Amino acid sequence: MATRTIRVDLLTRVEGEGALDLQVIDGQVASVQLNIFEPPRLFEALLRGRSYAETPDIVARICGICPIAYQMSAVHAIENAFGIAVEGPLRALRRLIYCGEWIESHALHVVMLHAPDFLGFPDAIQMAREHGEAVRSGLALKKAGNELMRAIGGREIHPVNVKAGGFYRAPSRAQLAPVEQSLARARELAVGLVRWVAGFRFPPFERDYEFVALRHPDEYPIDQGRLVSNRGIDIDIADYETQFEERQVAHSTALHSAVRRRGAYLVGPLARYALNFDRLPASVQTLASQSGLGAVCRNPFQSIVVRALEIVYACEEALRLIAAYEPPPLAALPLAPRAGTGFGCTEAPRGICWHRYDFDAEGTIRAVRIVPPTSQNQPSIEADLAAVAAPIVDQSDEFLRNSCEQAIRNHDPCISCAAHFLKLSVHRT
Amino acid sequence: MTGAAARAPAPCKLLVVGIGNPDRGDDAFGALVVQALDGRLPSDVPAIECRGDVLGLIEDWSGCDGLVCIDAAAPLGSPGRILRIDLDTGPLPGDLSGMSSHEFGLAQAIGLARSLELAPRRIIVYAVEAGSFGGGAPPSPAVAAAVPIVADRIVIEIQRLRDL
């Protein structure tokens, strides 16, 4: 029996810390384990006994890249439990700040973290010497996203203006005017970014994923919708636990999610796009077609193109929302706490972020469950890795290692959210 | 325009940036030095705080000739120890690189700016060795004591950079 072991102690250009173990026995991939060894972060435990009013600022700390996703899912759940719905200009503001998060998060991943894989550079700093214009575009896009988050949220990392019922303070039209100018330029830069990444060479690799995303009657999903899949799931977000389960696995401090009685599924840009292509504006659909994509993309390596398309969409949507914006009469709707359970689910840049909170009559949290996108994608990432590695197990350790790292980065995993860094070990027997 | 004015060199553009989260113990050092410099720098030398995304600074400092950064460094056992690092003479030490894979650190931002030819010609970093980064905690006495000392040195540093 021939054994081969390849080890990568540190996977770079992902958010968080973890490792990968690849077992190869007699030239066949025997097992793949994405090991997340970051200590559990215990947010669900530390939220117990805290007031609903503290929740948005606590859950924002789960992630520095996608704090809005956690804040929005939390405030939706609180409002759901207390029996109010936030609509009109307050909802528009929420969608607007969420656009800022999509723009800054996707721009960081597309240009700084993922593009170097396709162009043969170890990092964005080396890549910038030959692809300066693209990197400058990425920086400008990230800055535009940050600017939008700061204008509404007070600051770009862990914004402080979100509360249950709305915001602490709603911006004036004049305060959004400079952002509108930045976004108009950002939209053009994003179109250029789509064309740039669409020109990369993609491995001819597809997988038959079960895609899961929100779906809204009229909109490309960000903050509202039913949970749907391409294999028949179509449920209210409150019914998530009836269709999905989380499992503990020995090799990871993050839980693994699965569709009950079926298994792995995929959330994030590929899923949103496949399940909601018809909800994209014609301008983005045309750009997708010009970029060589159909209405469904099953090649995870092409997720970089889908992310770039979603930046264009987020810029257009933000511009539309700003053009229509009238400041709300109240920055937040009044809330009356009551005992009950509330559910929230919104589309983080990496996929659905699902929350459930049980409150007592004073609005104190009695129990909480938070399901981040990366824990949902872990089994699919492992399946991708096995499929990517299988035909190349005879290649050099370095080639195998680089290919596996790229396959992981296809899904922009945020290991910090799921529990944090990647170490790759390949054991060949 | 007089002949003398036409021959005068373009004014040297300088920027001072204090980096860090003022609500995280000794990470407040950069912001505290910027506040201590209020009214002490020439009017054409802005001093700004950066509490979040360091990558966003690249646009702020592009077009500048000189940059002075103030940041807290990882604890190594001597909190309050002041380091002056001239990037003409060597790279930024590893412990001033990004501590998180979520965001690019100062060293990566400077490296990226240099690749893009957007980095100031002269970059001086003043770092103070931190004791702790506790959430909501005040800066430690040793790091707080370093604030006026570094502010004084930066006033002199700016004058020296302008005279180069």
Side-chain angles (χ1 to χ4, degrees), chain A residues 14 16 125 142-143 146 416, chain B residues 53 56 59-60 101-102 115-116:
Chain A
V14 299
I125 296 173
K142 189 169 190 319
K143 190 159 185 158
N146 285 350
S416 308
Chain B
D53 185 3
E59 198 167 303
D60 293 323
S101 52
H102 267 80
S115 291
L116 294 168

Side-chain angles (χ1 to χ4, degrees), chain A residues 95 102 213-222 224-226 228 234 271-286 295 309-310 313-314 316-317 320:
Chain A
R95 201 167 160 86
W102 275 28
L214 289 177
R215 182 162 169 84
H216 185 275
D218 311 308
E219 304 163 346
Y220 195 72
I222 298 180
Q224 287 182 0
R226 289 174 65 79
V228 304
D234 184 354
R272 275 193 297 265
Y273 177 88
L275 296 167
N276 295 282
F277 180 80
D278 58 341
R279 299 290 189 260
L280 284 167
S283 56
V284 181
Q285 290 182 353
T286 302
L309 285 163
E310 285 196 334
Y313 171 71
E316 289 190 6
E317 178 67 357
R320 182 188 74 77

Side-chain angles (χ1 to χ4, degrees), chain A residues 15 23 53 69 91 94 161 178 188 204 230 272 283 332 397-399 407 424:
Chain A
E15 278 82 37
Q23 290 277 352
R91 185 199 165 215
R94 288 181 166 178
N161 191 28
E188 296 312 307
N230 54 331
R272 275 193 297 265
S283 56
D397 285 3
E398 186 184 2
F399 183 81
L424 170 63

Side-chain angles (χ1 to χ4, degrees), chain A residues 86-139:
Chain A
V86 170
E87 296 293 349
L90 285 174
R91 185 199 165 215
L93 272 180
R94 288 181 166 178
R95 201 167 160 86
L96 188 54
I97 194 172
Y98 222 135
C99 287
E101 180 161 286
W102 275 28
I103 295 167
E104 61 89 13
S105 176
H106 278 355
L108 176 72
H109 188 261
V110 167
V111 180
M112 301 298 170
L113 307 180
H114 206 189
D117 281 332
F118 295 93
L119 298 169
F121 294 96
D123 56 44
I125 296 173
Q126 310 296 321
M127 185 180 78
R129 298 198 175 105
E130 290 186 33
H131 297 275
E133 187 182 341
V135 173
R136 277 191 286 270
S137 291
L139 290 172

Side-chain angles (χ1 to χ4, degrees), chain B residues 41-136:
Chain B
L41 295 176
S43 59
D44 60 347
V45 180
I48 64 172
E49 293 177 30
C50 173
R51 302 180 179 198
D53 185 3
V54 179
L55 277 182
L57 285 173
I58 294 177
E59 198 167 303
D60 293 323
W61 69 47
S62 66
C64 286
D65 304 296
L67 170 70
V68 177
C69 290
I70 311 137
D71 201 0
L76 293 171
S78 308
R81 185 169 63 105
I82 297 165
L83 300 101
R84 177 187 178 278
I85 304 148
D86 184 338
L87 294 199
D88 271 359
T89 60
L92 215 49
D95 54 3
L96 280 175
S97 300
M99 299 296 288
S100 161
S101 52
H102 267 80
E103 290 291 344
F104 280 52
L106 179 60
Q108 291 97 326
I110 290 171
L112 190 59
R114 284 179 165 170
S115 291
L116 294 168
E117 299 179 347
L118 295 174
R121 189 166 45 87
R122 295 295 310 274
I123 301 176
I124 312 289
V125 176
Y126 277 89
V128 69
E129 192 180 318
S132 71
F133 296 103

